[in-house]
Amino acid sequence: MLRATWHQERQVVVVSLWRDNVCVNTFRLAADDVPDLVALLCQGLDEAYDAARGRVERVENLRRPFQAG
């Protein structure tokens, strides 16, 4: 599992990787770099949704000939 905590006093986000209830690694991300990470995640989600939407549309198009009759 991935967790992120904001530390305003240090102007960092600490990203931590957890296995069950044990923290196995951490990374400090400077507050100034957070917008780039957020943009990357949003872009990835947009691309994933577009790909999924395309798959759904292809499946729906395949079903239409069977539903017409």
Side-chain angles (χ1 to χ4, degrees):
M1 176 189 303
L2 179 95
R3 294 182 186 170
T5 53
W6 184 268
H7 296 272
Q8 183 67 31
E9 70 284 358
R10 293 189 182 125
Q11 288 294 297
V12 297
V13 171
V14 175
V15 179
S16 53
L17 299 173
W18 292 76
R19 188 171 297 126
D20 298 320
N21 62 344
V22 177
C23 179
V24 295
N25 209 339
T26 61
F27 176 80
R28 292 179 185 210
L29 182 66
D32 291 343
D33 293 329
V34 171
D36 291 337
L37 175 61
V38 170
L40 173 71
L41 294 173
C42 288
Q43 179 183 352
L45 279 174
D46 285 345
E47 291 172 5
Y49 283 133
D50 288 345
R53 187 177 308 113
R55 287 190 300 272
V56 168
E57 288 172 357
R58 285 192 296 276
V59 169
E60 287 175 350
N61 288 337
L62 289 173
R63 289 182 182 172
R64 284 194 183 123
F66 298 109
Q67 293 173 346

